[in-house]
Amino acid sequence: MVSPKIFGNVLSGRCKRNQQTHFRQIRADIALNIRNPDDYVRETKLDIQRVPRNYDPSLHPFEVPREYTRALNATKLERVFAKPFLASLDGHRDGVNCMAKHPKSLSTMLSGSCDGELKVWNLTKRECVRTLQAHEGFVRGMVVRFCGTSFFTVGDDKTIKQWKMETPGYGEEEEPLNTILGKSVFTSIDHHQKEGVFVTCGQQVDIWDEQRSSPIRSFSWGVDSFSCVRFNPVETELLASCASDRSIVLYDMREATPLKKVIMSMRSNTLCWNPMEAYHFTCSNEDYNLYTYDMRYLDKPFTVHMDHVSAVLDVDYSPTGKEFVSASFDKTIRIFPKDSGHSREVYHTKRMQHVISIKWSSDNKYILSASDEMNIRLWKANAAEKLGLLAPREKAAVNYSQKLKEKFQHHPQIRRISHHRHLPKSIYSQTKELRVMKEARRRKERNVRKHSKPGSMPVVTEKEKHVVTVVK
Amino acid sequence: MYPFPGSAPVPEEKLKKFRRGVKGELYKLRDVVIRSEAASDLAQKQNARYDLMLPEDAGFLEGDEDEDTCTISQDDIVDAVDITAGAKYFNLTLSQFGPYRLDYSKTGRHLLLGGRRGHVTCLDWQSKQLMCEMNVMETVNDVKWLHSEALFAVAQKKWLYIYDNKGIELHCIRKFNDVLRMQFLPYHFLLATASATGFLQYLDVSVGKEVVAICTKAGRLDVMAHNPHNAIIHLGHSNGTVTLWTPNQREPLVKMLCHQGGVRSVAVDKTGTYMVTSGMDKKLKVYDIRAYRPLQSYFLPAGASCLSLSQRGLLSAATGDIVQVYRDVWGIPVTKPYMAHRAKGSVWGVHFCPFEDVLGVGHGEGFTSMVVPGAGEPNFDGLDANPYRSAKQRQEWEVKALLEKIQPELIGLDPSQLSQVDHSTWEQRHEDRVQVLGFDPLAKEKFTPRLKTKGRSSSGKVEKRKKQVAHEDQRIDKERKEKEKKKAAAAGQKSALDRFRK
């Protein structure tokens, strides 16, 4: 690349001092900046063009305004390409109640409905590969075993059934591998990550061994019903459950009694552990919020996530642990970053009614939502993402736009565009109403504090407001 | 394996060239700041290393010990260098149509000439290929290339005309009347025009709309320059002042009194640090534009009528029919010119060619292209202005440039204002929040000592504990300062074992 300057060579334009030539004496050292066009123009039409670079900042003025303009364009294009809805899987004949992810196969998904029917779906072909009548009554919970060869379901007929994952051959009947009869209705089931142990909850939390037909341990703490139980994916011996006395109870499988519980102001519907952080779990509550707790410090939640306008029914974390998705009774799905108080994305459709269950696929790309009107919908996790294989230049351009949007995200014009979402009229007006109510409560509190003795009315932060007490 | 472990050290001046912004002291978000500063340092080092490997070197002209470089004529230079370089010195004898104004396109490849009596021509001056030639049959005050070699603007007697490079008249813009001087802001796609009626008008050439027409109330505007670093227009007036304008304000941003007579010419360097002005008082003054301080003042026996600054800091000043080139006017005071040349007629316009060692002079007898070794930047950037670009590359560049066209609202004295931390907005928002909530959410809570048993919580003991903590804020700051001092001292110390440390 460096063109050699041959000292004394007349062709390169430099002359030696006092060189006696035939015609005249050259008097000085003179050189001009000469470029050889062969170095700058491509040799044949089949080559790519040559692009020499010079990163001197004076040759590239207005760095910041140009980057800002590019970030603005990138934000606008993101809104243009934000089309998250992919497909709707229909086939169920009653509202879909629960879903389960396959731990080893990204394209398999199970769903159970309110008439006891269970369907196994192939997501790449978007069709149902297997249907079986699992229970009489609701299918309350299902979970696939960690090896992926069998799955468990619990239903309203007080049974736990274990089924094979493979479709039965021609002429064979659909029979469960194992059926366990219980004393009361089971409401939820979850399986251990490594051992052959699963846990169910109903009137008490039972830990079962797959080989036994009665629970090896039962936990209860004076509560009559539990709605959800989950194993911690990182600390595999810990579990948490949501109880009907508005509390969340933590257990260690190795101990005989529960560890501790936190009582909140309203009941939690479900909870989900963060797959990356061992101590954090998020619970979806009836008071339209989600609370992320640190298991070690239950006296106040780590974050309060507020954006829904009706009870939150289900929550699931992304496999990266950085975001989670929540399904609510108000017919919308919201995606929240794990440490932010407000959602970054909301998905809704006119045809989607109350969303009962939600799952984030294990490749971090898709969200599956099961709703009241017998449909399961497949959405993109990043609404503006281009699916499929990207060329290296495309990938570089996507990364560059992403970084630019991140850099300028706080500038008002860019923030306004990137936060703008269309909401259905009912949700928009409900949000406004809730804001007015909150403002009124705050104003009244402020007035009371202003007109009372300073210090007599302590400041209670938003986080502390929702926790009643922690019991050990 | 290698005698010196690690990567080669980079010289400090090279590193400084690529430094952007200042390292701030932020204790919140400290890890974020540390990570981004580490990335920025790496980028700085990579840039400095790449800078050492650039392919081309700048030209130079060095005289012998007894010789003045200004006595070396163009013919001598042409004899001393080879044919292709010598072809850069040429004269176009066009004595019929009046003194010529000129403009080089941004890539430096194309030349636009406009004679006062209406002769307009554009050509590729290196291959001497004529692109178009016409006579517009009217007085031509100024000519300017627009964003590429496809369009140019001609300020004719009454109105502003835009032509294609084949000579086809595309637009006649009647709103822009009596235009005397024009400047093109390439990254904003704005054509700024100064008129004889005292109006400074901005035209967005990508959409074709007039952005703003500012009534400067300063009389006839015939001295105009633009600062390539921040897109501010400099106008020189007959009362000796130079005013700085943006399209966002009706009043000038800055008014500087530069000369005792009228201002004859203004030039600003490409980094936006220095401004050179010449006036009727036969003085040539150099100012630091960032601090608005005068740096140098030179006396020229006959004042300079035209000024132009090259990419590498050479100044050309034209008086009558003599053109003189000075080197490094803002450093040590210059006593004699670097080069000089006598043109065939009285000089009407001078312009350095962007990436070449060439100075174009438009005069009464036509056009002269002078060779000035060391004027042009030797290494261009292929993505910005590439003299060797193909048609396809030009089209792609044009689309990308239009997409990142900067809005005129962002023109200001500091182009990097968007990247500064906006303290005032934060404070305003914080005040609003305190008012809404009724209390300050960021205020530190008052220290309440813990209740202890066995008589350790009597009122006297509690007061003692409170007193201990009373100066805690000041103590924390003090400790932090001491830590910093120690760090700075440790960094400066050198021990004998340093050469073994990685």
Side-chain angles (χ1 to χ4, degrees), chain B residues 453-492:
Chain B
T453 55
K454 294 191 183 169
R456 283 184 271 253
S457 256
S458 67
S459 50
K461 294 259 168 84
V462 164
E463 284 305 310
K464 252 199 199 167
R465 269 191 273 148
K466 275 195 197 167
K467 259 198 187 165
Q468 275 178 355
V469 179
H471 299 290
E472 204 168 68
D473 304 329
Q474 296 175 15
R475 200 176 66 201
I476 288 176
D477 273 336
K478 235 186 170 182
E479 275 178 4
R480 206 186 280 159
K481 277 190 189 152
E482 274 178 17
K483 256 196 208 167
E484 279 179 356
K485 265 196 211 161
K486 271 194 193 162
K487 252 196 195 171

Side-chain angles (χ1 to χ4, degrees), chain A residues 312-371:
Chain A
V312 191
L313 298 178
D314 198 6
V315 64
D316 191 29
Y317 261 93
S318 139
T320 60
K322 288 197 187 154
E323 292 180 320
F324 60 86
V325 62
S326 65
S328 150
F329 195 73
D330 69 355
K331 308 177 191 170
T332 58
I333 301 168
R334 280 186 189 263
I335 303 178
F336 291 83
K338 77 160 169 30
D339 46 9
S340 158
H342 290 277
S343 57
R344 75 157 172 92
E345 189 70 77
V346 56
Y347 293 160
H348 58 88
T349 314
K350 225 194 273 193
R351 295 197 176 180
M352 181 164 75
Q353 303 303 314
H354 314 294
V355 192
I356 309 290
S357 171
I358 193 129
K359 287 281 176 227
W360 198 314
S361 80
S362 313
D363 58 352
N364 196 29
K365 280 195 177 179
Y366 304 102
I367 290 172
L368 290 142
S369 70
S371 63

Side-chain angles (χ1 to χ4, degrees), chain A residues 119-179:
Chain A
K119 277 183 184 278
V120 180
W121 304 87
N122 181 330
L123 292 174
T124 46
K125 293 196 198 124
R126 295 177 188 162
E127 60 187 23
C128 171
V129 292
R130 186 176 164 199
T131 311
L132 51 97
Q133 187 66 27
H135 293 275
E136 298 161 1
F138 283 33
V139 177
R140 286 286 173 188
M142 11 195 274
V143 66
V144 183
R145 201 169 177 275
F146 61 86
C147 57
T149 52
S150 62
F151 59 92
F152 295 83
T153 64
V154 287
D156 261 358
D157 53 358
K158 306 181 189 172
T159 49
I160 305 171
K161 293 190 183 171
Q162 184 182 11
W163 307 80
K164 259 200 309 200
M165 200 68 215
E166 307 169 321
T167 323
Y170 180 72
E172 280 175 34
E173 289 278 315
E174 284 272 12
E175 282 293 326
L177 280 175
N178 196 6
T179 311

Side-chain angles (χ1 to χ4, degrees), chain A residues 1-3 5 10-15 17-18 24 26-37 39-42 49-66 68-70 73 407-408 411 415 439 442-443 445-446 449 459-461, chain B residues 17-18 20 47 50-51 54-57 59-62 64 67 72 76-77 79-82 85 88 187-188 228-231 270-271 355-357 371 373 377-384 386 388 390 393 403-406 410 415-416 418-419 435-439:
Chain A
M1 273 293 268
V2 180
S3 54
K5 289 264 191 248
V10 176
L11 283 176
S12 75
R14 188 185 286 197
C15 312
R17 269 177 207 260
N18 299 322
R24 51 185 293 158
I26 310 298
R27 290 176 301 169
D29 262 321
I30 304 174
L32 279 188
N33 160 37
I34 307 156
R35 282 187 212 101
N36 184 357
D39 289 338
Y40 293 95
V41 180
R42 61 180 180 178
Q49 298 282 2
R50 294 187 203 200
V51 181
R53 300 302 313 271
N54 185 349
Y55 296 104
D56 190 350
S58 61
L59 285 178
H60 302 276
F62 304 108
E63 284 173 336
V64 178
R66 283 157 90 185
Y68 174 81
T69 313
R70 287 179 196 158
N73 290 340
K407 179 172 176 183
F408 288 98
H411 284 73
R415 211 164 129 255
E439 195 48 53
R442 219 184 249 167
R443 193 185 60 242
E445 197 191 308
R446 202 169 61 227
R449 189 171 291 129
V459 172
V460 181
T461 61
Chain B
K17 186 165 138 191
F18 295 98
R20 281 129 163 113
N47 276 342
Y50 186 84
D51 205 47
L54 288 169
E56 302 289 340
D57 292 323
F60 56 88
L61 175 68
E62 285 162 20
D64 289 341
E67 197 176 16
I72 301 174
D76 293 339
I77 299 176
D79 287 334
V81 296
D82 69 328
K88 300 195 178 168
Y187 296 96
H188 303 75
H229 178 70
N230 57 11
K270 72 170 183 187
T271 56
F355 295 103
E356 300 286 340
D357 286 342
V371 170
E377 171 68 50
N379 298 295
F380 57 85
D381 189 84
L383 292 178
D384 193 49
N386 184 348
Y388 298 96
S390 67
Q393 279 180 311
L403 280 174
E404 53 187 47
K405 173 184 86 157
I406 308 170
L410 301 178
S416 64
L418 278 175
S419 67
Q435 204 170 35
V436 161
L437 291 176
F439 60 90

